[in-house]
Amino acid sequence: SQYKNVKTDLEIYSALFSEGERKIRLLKSFNARSLKSPLYAIEALKNGLLDEHKALDYFYQFADKSIDYSILIDFASLLKTEESKIEFGKYLNSYNGTIYFDTDGDLTYNLVVQYNRGRPKNIIYDENQDDENIILIIVEDALITDIKKEGDFY
């Protein structure tokens, strides 16, 4: 169900839209109750609740399976030390997971890239998110080996 983490989502969004001491209290409470969200890594790093090393470890819990591209970019932009940037670069160069993209800004993913050892394995594009006219691009050794349209791969 798309609403399975609604409590966690509402809790972290509440912290995101708060300011000052209230924001810090909400973030600390979120973490103390063992709630989890990749957004916590971003906000905790911004607000000094996690150092970069701990933020990377926390972030990997989510990104190891799948992650939204905009969250990935927001997190990466917060890394300041050379050590953290190198570690994150190595992580991405060996990434085995899925990155979701919203290419048209409508807040719905329409591009999905599945990675294997840091390289795209499958690229799935559904322009209108209607499960019609889907394009699947299969990549092997950084070369496109096949392009299929819906119907060819079901």
Side-chain angles (χ1 to χ4, degrees):
S1 164
Q2 68 182 17
Y3 303 111
K4 66 182 175 183
N5 294 320
V6 97
K7 181 179 186 332
T8 300
D9 291 344
L10 289 174
E11 295 266 348
I12 196 65
Y13 290 136
S14 177
L16 294 176
F17 291 102
S18 296
E19 295 179 0
E21 190 57 38
R22 177 169 168 69
K23 176 179 239 172
I24 301 300
R25 273 196 323 274
L26 288 170
L27 288 169
K28 285 181 177 179
S29 172
F30 182 89
N31 190 49
R33 289 179 293 127
S34 298
L35 298 175
K36 302 287 183 192
S37 169
L39 296 173
Y40 176 80
I42 293 170
E43 290 303 310
L45 186 54
K46 278 184 192 176
N47 290 280
L49 298 176
L50 290 177
D51 62 31
E52 289 186 5
H53 180 71
K54 288 181 181 171
L56 282 165
D57 288 343
Y58 187 96
F59 188 78
Y60 294 156
Q61 296 174 53
F62 299 94
D64 277 350
K65 296 176 188 161
S66 64
I67 193 75
D68 178 299
Y69 178 72
S70 63
I71 292 174
L72 180 78
I73 293 302
D74 287 348
F75 181 77
S77 71
L78 295 173
L79 299 175
K80 303 298 179 208
T81 67
E82 197 63 28
E83 179 184 336
S84 294
K85 290 177 184 180
I86 289 170
E87 179 186 332
F88 196 57
K90 287 179 180 178
Y91 173 79
L92 293 175
N93 278 329
S94 63
Y95 185 65
N96 292 309
T98 303
I99 299 178
Y100 294 92
F101 298 81
D102 171 16
T103 63
D104 56 10
D106 68 355
L107 303 178
T108 304
Y109 305 125
N110 56 352
L111 179 67
V112 178
V113 182
Q114 299 166 335
Y115 287 84
N116 184 32
R117 294 183 315 210
R119 305 293 178 263
K121 181 174 83 173
N122 292 316
I123 302 167
I124 304 162
Y125 181 68
D126 182 0
E127 181 179 20
N128 303 321
Q129 305 91 24
D130 59 3
D131 294 330
E132 294 180 14
N133 299 315
I134 299 170
I135 298 171
L136 170 66
I137 300 171
I138 301 170
V139 181
E140 292 178 18
D141 298 321
L143 298 172
I144 296 174
T145 59
D146 200 1
I147 299 176
K148 299 179 179 184
K149 285 196 160 217
E150 179 201 1
D152 296 338
F153 56 92
Y154 286 121

